[in-house]
Amino acid sequence: MVFSQRREKETVKETPQESKIEQEEKPEEKDFTPKEILPGSKSAYDMKLAMNSEGLFSADVKIDITNISNETWSELKLYFIPNMFTANNSPEIEQHSTINIKSIRINNKEMKYTLEKDMVHIPLEEGVTPNKSVTFQVNYQFTLPKTGEKFTEIDGNYYLAHWYPMVPTYRNGWNKQPYFARGESYHTTFSNFKVEYDIPEEYTIVTTGDNSFPNGKKNIIQAKDVKEFYVGLMKKPQVVQRNIKNVNVRVFGINESEKLLEEILVTATDTLTYFYDKIGPYPHNQLDIILDGPGMEYPGVVTVGSTRSGNREIASVKRTVVHEIAHQWFYGLVNNDPYFHAWLDEGITSFATSLFLGDDGANNVRLYNSNTERMPSNLPLNDYGEAPTFIYIYGQSHVKLAEIFTQHGGEQKAEEFFKEYVRLYKYKEVDTAEFVRFMKYYLKVEDDSLFKDWVNYSPLSEA
Ligand SMILES: [Zn+2]
C-alpha cells in the first residue's frame, strides 16, 4: 500500500483552481440520507456494585427497558456473560467464576427465569407493547475467574467487562446470538448508566464514566450514550496523565517502568489528537489506558496489555494503544453488530491505525497473503467454523480498504471519508450493506466492483 510518507502532501499548497474542483466534487449532504439500523430496544441502567476485601462482588442492577420495535415482546433475553466462566461452562480454566443470583424481578414481581450459557431468559406474563417499558431487576453475587480474558482477575487486580446483564437489540425477536469466544458475540445499543460503587480503600477504580484520581471508596459515576460500562479495579497502580483537547488522558500500570508509562502517554495523546482533528471530536472527558489484560476497547477505557505479559515489544504495545483508541470512533461512536459485521469496527480500526502510523499494516498484509481459502469479511462469527476469523475480519478488510483508497484519492481522501462517515453515523448503527451504500456514493462508484471478491452479497440483497 502507499500510505507511508503521506504527511508531506498536507503542506503542499493547492492552487485556487484545484480547490474549486475539489469543492465541486465534494458530495453534498442532501444527495445522501444515512439509513441507520434501528436498535428496537432502549435501556437505562441503574446499578450498585460493591466489592469486599476477598474479591467477592455484590451487584444490584435495575434496567428500565423500553420497547422501541414495532412488535410486542413476550419474553426478555439478556446477555449474562459472567456465567460463561463458571465451573459448568468453563471447566478447563484455572480459577472459575462463581455466580449466585438471588432474585430476578420484573416490574417489582419476582419471576421465574433460566440462566443458560451467556443468557438470562425470562418469559413475560404480560406482553410489552411498542413504546411501553418494563423494569428488570437482579440481585447477585459473583467472583472473577483468573483466565476469563476480559472479565478476569490478574494478580489481585479486577477487570470487569460485561459484568452485568446487558440488553440486546431487538430485530424480529431478541438479537441474542450464540456466545463465541474468538471475537465479540454481544451487541448492545447506546444507553445511559448510573453506577454506585463501594470498594476497598486500597483500590483505584477506572471506568467508562468520569472519575477523579485518587477516587473515594464510595461514589456514583454516570455515563451517557455508551454501549457498555467498564469497571477496572487496580491495587495501588502507577498513573501518569495529561490534558489534551480538553480530554484527561490517563495511563494506569502495575510495576511498569516510568519510561514506558511516559511513552505510552505520548502515543495515546498523539493518537487522540490525530483522530480528534482528522475524524471528529472524542466523545468523553477522560480516556483511560490500562496496561494490563488483553487488547480491548470499551467506551472511555482501553486495555492494552503490557511489556511484562508475553514478552511483548514496546512497538507492539504502542500499536495496540493506537488500535484500541481508534475504536473510540469505530465502535464507540459508530455502532455495528460485531457478531454479523465485525469487520466494520475491526477492519476500519485496523486501517485507521495504519493511517495514523503511516504504515501499511504489515501484519494484516501478511495475514491476508498467508490465506489460501477465500472467505468474505462479513460472515456471522459462527459461520467461519474453525477458520481463523481474524484473517478475514482484520486482515482482509484492512488490505481491501487500503486498496480502495489507493485507487480513490489516497490517505487524505480516506481521512475525509471516515470523517464524513462518523459525522453521518455517530450514535447510529451501520451494517455492511449501509457501509457499502455510503462508500459507493462517496467515491462515486456505480457498480459493486470495490467489494466483489471480499464481501458476501446474499445478506446485502435482503437488506
Ligand atoms: Zn479491535
Side-chain angles (χ1 to χ4, degrees), residues 363-374 388 390-391:
N363 260 350
N364 281 333
V365 174
R366 219 174 3 253
L367 268 180
Y368 175 67
N369 289 335
S370 72
N371 165 34
T372 48
E373 193 188 352
R374 290 279 168 243
F390 51 84
I391 287 184

Side-chain angles (χ1 to χ4, degrees), residues 184 295-297 323-324 327 345-346 349-350 394:
E184 285 90 58
M296 188 59 196
E297 69 282 5
H323 178 101
E324 306 308 343
H327 269 302
D345 63 294
E346 293 303 352
T349 292
S350 298
Y394 294 72

Side-chain angles (χ1 to χ4, degrees), residues 201-398:
E201 206 103 42
E202 64 272 28
Y203 280 87
T204 288
I205 188 164
V206 184
T207 70
T208 285
D210 297 344
N211 68 293
S212 56
F213 173 82
N215 52 259
K217 183 176 151 30
K218 289 183 185 186
N219 213 335
I220 296 175
I221 301 178
Q222 310 216 43
K224 278 202 157 59
D225 284 328
V226 292
K227 285 185 53 147
E228 57 189 304
F229 194 97
Y230 182 81
V231 174
L233 294 167
M234 302 175 78
K235 207 170 185 173
K236 299 198 166 80
Q238 302 154 288
V239 186
V240 291
Q241 51 188 316
R242 188 167 304 148
N243 205 282
I244 191 140
K245 301 271 175 198
N246 281 328
V247 178
N248 189 23
V249 182
R250 311 188 293 188
V251 178
F252 295 86
I254 307 272
N255 299 330
E256 301 289 357
S257 73
E258 295 290 318
K259 185 172 167 283
L260 179 80
L261 291 171
E262 279 300 329
E263 279 186 46
I264 297 298
L265 185 61
V266 169
T267 302
T269 51
D270 286 354
T271 307
L272 176 77
T273 304
Y274 171 82
F275 283 98
Y276 200 113
D277 291 344
K278 298 291 183 188
I279 307 298
Y282 172 75
H284 310 288
N285 301 317
Q286 282 180 344
L287 172 60
D288 292 332
I289 293 101
I290 296 177
L291 295 179
D292 210 357
M296 188 59 196
E297 69 282 5
Y298 309 99
V301 184
V302 301
T303 60
V304 297
S306 79
T307 47
R308 289 176 297 119
S309 48
N311 294 322
R312 289 177 71 200
E313 293 186 355
I314 291 182
S316 149
V317 177
K318 284 184 180 171
R319 190 176 190 93
T320 307
V321 170
V322 178
H323 178 101
E324 306 308 343
I325 292 176
H327 269 302
Q328 298 298 317
W329 285 262
F330 308 111
Y331 147 86
L333 266 177
V334 179
N335 196 3
N336 61 278
D337 185 334
Y339 183 85
F340 291 102
H341 309 279
W343 78 275
L344 281 177
D345 63 294
E346 293 303 352
I348 292 173
T349 292
S350 298
F351 175 65
T353 299
S354 281
L355 273 180
F356 166 67
L357 292 172
D359 64 22
D360 66 356
N363 260 350
N364 281 333
V365 174
R366 219 174 3 253
L367 268 180
Y368 175 67
N369 289 335
S370 72
N371 165 34
T372 48
E373 193 188 352
R374 290 279 168 243
M375 286 169 94
S377 289
N378 64 324
L379 290 185
L381 291 181
N382 267 340
D383 288 13
Y384 286 105
E386 292 303 305
T389 53
F390 51 84
I391 287 184
Y392 309 99
I393 290 169
Y394 294 72
Q396 178 167 267
S397 51
H398 179 169

Side-chain angles (χ1 to χ4, degrees), residues 94-234:
E94 182 198 335
Q95 171 188 300
H96 49 73
S97 65
T98 57
I99 308 286
N100 177 13
I101 295 182
K102 294 189 173 154
S103 71
I104 287 184
R105 301 169 85 82
I106 299 285
N107 295 339
N108 257 329
K109 187 175 174 212
E110 188 142 354
M111 301 294 285
K112 286 208 167 74
Y113 65 89
T114 56
L115 173 62
E116 231 179 286
K117 299 248 169 119
D118 66 332
M119 182 175 81
V120 183
H121 179 223
I122 310 132
L124 297 173
E125 288 165 3
E126 247 177 79
V128 182
T129 53
N131 300 316
K132 293 279 184 251
S133 301
V134 280
T135 301
F136 165 92
Q137 280 173 284
V138 61
N139 191 277
Y140 61 104
Q141 290 189 317
F142 62 97
T143 57
L144 292 193
K146 266 209 173 128
T147 43
E149 277 281 301
K150 301 157 200 163
F151 175 75
T152 200
E153 178 199 335
I154 303 175
D155 300 333
N157 302 298
Y158 297 87
Y159 301 108
L160 284 72
H162 36 63
W163 52 276
Y164 55 89
M166 301 193 299
V167 181
T169 53
Y170 189 97
R171 287 158 194 166
N172 305 314
W174 288 102
N175 179 22
K176 162 68 189 72
Q177 304 304 325
Y179 183 79
F180 192 78
R182 291 176 292 137
E184 285 90 58
S185 52
Y186 55 94
H187 176 49
T188 54
T189 188
F190 300 99
S191 302
N192 294 343
F193 290 83
K194 180 180 154 212
V195 179
E196 191 175 341
Y197 69 83
D198 182 351
I199 55 172
E201 206 103 42
E202 64 272 28
Y203 280 87
T204 288
I205 188 164
V206 184
T207 70
T208 285
D210 297 344
N211 68 293
S212 56
F213 173 82
N215 52 259
K217 183 176 151 30
K218 289 183 185 186
N219 213 335
I220 296 175
I221 301 178
Q222 310 216 43
K224 278 202 157 59
D225 284 328
V226 292
K227 285 185 53 147
E228 57 189 304
F229 194 97
Y230 182 81
V231 174
L233 294 167
M234 302 175 78

